[in-house]
Amino acid sequence: MELDDVNTITVLGAGNMGHGIAEVAAIAGYDVYMRDIKEEFVRNGYEQIEWSLGKLAEQDRLTEEEADAALDRVTPVVDVEEAVSGTDFLIEAVPEQMEIKKDVYTEVERYAPEGAVFATNTSSLSITELSEVTDRPERFCGMHFFNPPVRMPLVEVISGAHTDEGTLELTESLAEDFDKTPVRVHKDSPGFIVNRILVPLMNEAAWLVSEGEATITEVDSTTKFDIGHPMGAFELGDQVGNDVSYHVLEYMHEVLGDAYEPAPLLAEKVENEELGKKTGKGFYDYEDGPGAEIPADEGSEFVERRLLASMANEVAKLIGGDVAPPESIDEAVTLGGGWPDGPVTVVDEYGIETLLETLETAHEETGHERYRPDEYLRERAEAGGFYDADDDEAESDGYEYDAIAVEVDGRVGHLAIDRPHRMNTITTGMIEEIDDALDRLVDDDDVRAVLLTGSGDRAFSAGFDASTAAAGSGLETAELARRGQHVFGRFEEVPMPVIAAIDGYCLGGGMELSACADMRLATERSRFGQPEHDLGLMPGWGGTQRLPRIVGEGRAKEIIFTARNDYDPETMADYGFVNEVVSPDGFEDRAWELARDLAAGPPIAQRFTKRAMLAGRDDIDAGLEFEASAFGHLFTTDDLWEGLSAFQSDRDPEFEGK
């Protein structure tokens, strides 16, 4: 079966995951049957889809017509035969219990067409075992979405022992058609990639507290602010549900052995029905207490080493067991877990030898299986890391970065902020990567314009990712501000025109970055703002200086003091910040058209124009003096005569920068 053969999709289960998957499929243009065991369940799921589509339309992610059409494509049903008899692709999202899932597949097998593909949304259970209750194990695979499916970009595509390659390729193509990023899991192993990293990590955190080696506060301060995860380990556990983590660990313990024994603290929480946010109390109190209030300065180097050592061991088991290669692990966890860097990269940068020694010491002291180093970890420690040094050297010749993506297309250098899983928030490491990329773009004689964008369609950049800056003194944060000011300011100083093409949120540091461009193009669904005052901060990367020059001091004070994050592009165009507002459909084409038009301009005149404007910012006489000198110099260039000749001949000039 090819992707073009898939027209009708069945989703079994109308709960949070089920109705979310059904909505994603309907938005992508597929006819969807959403089935559950009771009319009230499917009706509630349908109403949730209707509500979500309405919110997407309010946020200009969809038009009203597109939202209505997507809803019309969803058919809520209870009857199994009606749900599956005409399906091309079935996605099961029923409760995470093996026997329930097996019963469901036994029932639907009686009615589903012979050629239909079955996919399970299980987050950890055996794909192979589930496939073997069907008559189509070769057309059965895992298709694991993340919650909420409408927002989360990752889909793990998991091979069972019997799955054929065509089924996996079709499922990956379908995920891409859903506007998701598929990551292949090559071997059926509990937890697959993301949960195999996250759940044992949360369990190790619970063990450290159970054994009196750390406090909950120390662990969460370490994971959130020192390691840089979006949430503390216990905060995440409460968010996911401590019962969910516990049941995944029970399954891992059963299949993989004692290294995955649930920590006593976690078992106690489940026994006491303190399951996290959904019950009002977990590791934190959400009813009678303040919830997860995590200090930024109570991290522990000991906790960091233990947690990273545990993570290194899981990474080794995944790679050494041929479950997934390093690149896939990093991509999956950044997309599915929202981490600023993938676990393989984190382990390599911290020092794999140090983490191996940490495991060996802990295993000798405790004798617990969770600390027994995997043999592949020893092998890679001898090699110096999971990633091959030769690969890194080969990549260094191109534009290879972690947090930005850079390419040269003709005469346009395209620099994209490439953290869509974190709303393209800016990290300390990204600032250094931008600095390096600008050096290389300026040195490339072929590049005559720079196009600055954000990856994905949710944000140009939603601001600074504070989790990537270690808690420190005011002096250290002042230095961070100065560094960002310098690097962002380079966009004003580079000799070629810079266009910021904005789609989605452009907030805080992201708006300050865009202010350094020479021109700004924005989609109708973009939103702007400087919300720093709501955090007790102020713009720190030039916002108090550049914004008044662009929109005037009164408007700049309005934008900063009100701390709004919902200025629409039409208002920002009236204020003079946005040069052009375009529809989302025509955005990419128009951005590249404008960049190529500017790249075809006269390089010397463009360079002198930017320098003259910069020179005159604080001293108009200096600016006028530079303008006069540059004007005279341009009369000596070949570009001038090319421009005059083209004008007289009624043709487009071909400037060479001479």
Side-chain angles (χ1 to χ4, degrees):
M1 183 184 292
E2 302 295 329
L3 183 62
D4 289 344
D5 300 319
V6 179
N7 299 298
T8 302
I9 291 174
T10 295
V11 178
L12 300 177
N16 287 337
M17 292 304 297
H19 73 65
I21 296 168
E23 180 181 358
V24 167
I27 290 171
Y30 293 90
D31 292 326
V32 182
Y33 284 86
M34 180 178 67
R35 189 261 172 180
D36 215 315
I37 58 175
K38 291 184 179 180
E39 179 67 33
E40 64 184 281
F41 295 166
V42 293
R43 178 55 50 189
N44 181 64
Y46 186 82
E47 290 172 354
Q48 289 297 315
I49 293 174
E50 185 176 22
W51 176 85
S52 177
L53 289 169
K55 294 299 290 184
L56 292 174
E58 283 180 21
Q59 298 164 0
D60 295 326
R61 314 305 295 177
L62 298 173
T63 65
E64 293 285 355
E65 293 76 14
E66 288 170 337
D68 290 342
L71 189 63
D72 288 343
R73 285 190 283 268
V74 179
T75 302
V77 296
V78 173
D79 183 75
V80 176
E81 183 175 2
E82 182 183 359
V84 306
S85 60
T87 196
D88 301 308
F89 199 102
L90 181 147
I91 304 171
E92 166 269 307
V94 303
E96 192 75 348
Q97 296 180 37
M98 182 67 80
E99 292 310 313
I100 292 178
K101 290 181 183 289
K102 286 183 177 181
D103 289 345
V104 166
Y105 284 115
T106 300
E107 184 176 16
V108 300
E109 186 64 77
R110 294 161 51 193
Y111 303 109
E114 183 178 344
V117 170
F118 286 3
T120 174
N121 182 58
T122 180
S123 61
S124 60
L125 300 179
S126 171
I127 307 300
T128 303
E129 186 174 345
L130 288 171
S131 75
E132 289 173 348
V133 303
T134 75
D135 297 333
R136 62 192 80 207
E138 73 285 354
R139 292 191 304 282
F140 191 109
C141 69
M143 191 180 191
H144 179 214
F145 291 78
F146 286 73
N147 194 24
V150 173
R151 284 201 304 108
M152 296 297 284
L154 175 67
V155 172
E156 291 177 323
V157 176
I158 308 107
S159 176
H162 312 297
T163 312
D164 66 32
E165 180 63 23
T167 297
L168 295 169
E169 291 177 357
L170 172 63
T171 305
E172 289 171 332
S173 297
L174 185 62
E176 289 173 347
D177 208 35
F178 287 174
D179 199 25
K180 302 299 178 187
T181 301
V183 173
R184 177 80 69 93
V185 182
H186 296 275
K187 185 180 289 187
D188 184 11
S189 183
F192 313 133
I193 296 175
V194 176
N195 283 335
R196 183 64 175 271
I197 297 295
L198 291 184
V199 176
L201 192 67
M202 291 190 288
N203 194 40
E204 177 60 21
W207 271 107
L208 290 175
V209 176
S210 295
E211 296 181 333
E213 305 245 37
T215 65
I216 289 176
T217 298
E218 286 175 328
V219 169
D220 273 8
S221 183
T222 301
T223 47
K224 189 167 186 174
F225 296 103
D226 296 346
I227 299 177
H229 293 175
M231 294 183 176
F234 292 106
E235 181 185 15
L236 177 62
D238 279 353
Q239 181 76 25
V240 171
N242 294 318
D243 55 330
V244 175
S245 303
Y246 183 77
H247 293 317
V248 171
L249 279 167
E250 280 191 314
Y251 181 70
M252 289 182 174
H253 189 198
E254 176 187 342
V255 176
L256 299 174
D258 287 344
Y260 301 91
E261 177 188 0
L265 176 63
L266 181 59
E268 176 187 320
K269 290 295 178 184
V270 174
E271 183 179 349
N272 294 337
E273 297 186 352
E274 296 176 354
L275 307 182
K277 279 192 171 181
K278 60 187 175 184
T279 60
K281 187 174 183 180
F283 296 109
Y284 294 96
D285 191 338
Y286 300 92
E287 285 186 344
D288 301 321
E293 291 189 348
I294 303 170
D297 56 355
E298 293 192 27
S300 157
E301 290 185 13
F302 167 78
V303 170
E304 182 175 7
R305 278 197 308 275
R306 277 286 181 91
L307 293 177
L308 293 184
S310 172
M311 188 170 73
N313 221 20
E314 293 307 317
V315 166
K317 293 172 185 177
L318 288 175
I319 301 172
D322 296 323
V323 177
E327 298 83 0
S328 295
I329 295 170
D330 275 354
E331 182 177 26
V333 178
T334 54
L335 292 176
W339 290 13
D341 297 299
V344 188
T345 297
V346 169
V347 166
D348 276 2
E349 290 182 351
Y350 190 90
I352 191 171
E353 301 92 342
T354 300
L355 298 176
L356 173 60
E357 291 173 4
T358 300
L359 283 174
E360 290 173 332
T361 301
H363 187 247
E364 183 178 339
E365 291 175 350
T366 68
H368 201 286
E369 278 299 302
R370 72 185 190 278
Y371 292 132
R372 184 185 296 279
D374 187 76
E375 284 305 312
Y376 188 72
L377 181 63
R378 298 184 188 279
E379 180 182 327
R380 295 315 302 175
E382 291 181 7
F386 287 113
Y387 282 113
D388 291 326
D390 291 343
D391 291 342
D392 293 340
E393 291 172 7
E395 288 180 352
S396 67
D397 294 333
Y399 289 98
E400 294 290 339
Y401 299 102
D402 291 328
I404 62 174
V406 181
E407 63 174 344
V408 175
D409 186 339
R411 292 182 171 182
V412 177
H414 179 207
L415 192 159
I417 306 169
D418 195 25
R419 301 182 76 228
H421 57 291
R422 296 296 297 274
M423 299 288 283
N424 292 324
T425 45
I426 297 164
T427 68
T428 53
M430 182 191 296
I431 293 171
E432 301 309 314
E433 291 184 354
I434 291 173
D435 195 30
D436 181 76
L438 285 176
D439 282 341
R440 299 173 72 177
L441 290 172
V442 169
D443 289 342
D444 189 335
D445 292 336
D446 291 333
V447 176
R448 294 191 182 178
V450 173
L451 177 62
L452 180 61
T453 67
S455 293
D457 61 1
R458 296 176 60 205
F460 171 79
S461 172
F464 177 52
D465 186 345
S467 69
T468 66
S473 68
L475 183 63
E476 290 170 333
T477 50
E479 183 56 37
L480 171 62
R482 282 189 284 270
R483 183 62 180 151
Q485 290 168 358
H486 168 73
V487 174
F488 288 6
R490 293 194 60 199
F491 285 101
E492 297 178 309
E493 298 166 359
V494 295
M496 67 282 284
V498 177
I499 306 99
I502 299 159
D503 185 22
Y505 289 105
C506 182
L507 305 175
M511 186 167 168
E512 290 176 287
L513 173 60
S514 72
C516 298
D518 300 306
M519 297 176 66
R520 284 162 291 279
L521 178 79
T523 61
E524 296 161 341
R525 63 190 177 195
S526 297
R527 293 295 181 267
F528 297 82
Q530 297 284 173
E532 288 88 349
H533 276 196
D534 274 349
L535 304 174
L537 293 171
M538 63 182 286
W541 285 333
T544 63
Q545 304 303 307
R546 294 188 181 94
L547 190 58
R549 290 177 178 139
I550 298 170
V551 303
E553 187 171 321
R555 290 299 189 193
K557 286 179 177 177
E558 171 201 323
I559 292 167
I560 294 171
F561 288 152
T562 62
R564 286 174 50 189
N565 61 6
D566 61 351
Y567 280 95
D568 60 58
E570 292 80 11
T571 299
M572 296 306 288
D574 289 343
Y575 287 3
F577 189 81
V578 171
N579 298 87
E580 184 177 345
V581 180
V582 298
S583 70
D585 290 341
F587 168 69
E588 185 173 352
D589 289 343
R590 177 56 184 145
W592 278 96
E593 178 187 33
L594 180 58
R596 291 187 177 110
D597 285 348
L598 293 178
I604 301 174
Q606 289 173 335
R607 180 172 73 250
F608 283 172
T609 299
K610 290 187 69 169
R611 289 176 63 185
M613 289 182 174
L614 279 174
R617 276 192 175 174
D618 297 319
D619 185 343
I620 189 171
D621 290 334
L624 291 171
E625 178 60 30
F626 186 90
E627 179 186 278
S629 175
F631 186 78
H633 178 79
L634 289 170
F635 269 89
T636 69
T637 64
D638 292 345
D639 279 355
L640 171 70
W641 303 112
E642 168 60 17
L644 292 173
S645 175
F647 176 76
Q648 293 169 352
S649 304
D650 194 25
R651 63 174 173 82
D652 292 331
E654 297 181 4
F655 297 114
E656 296 184 8
K658 297 180 181 179

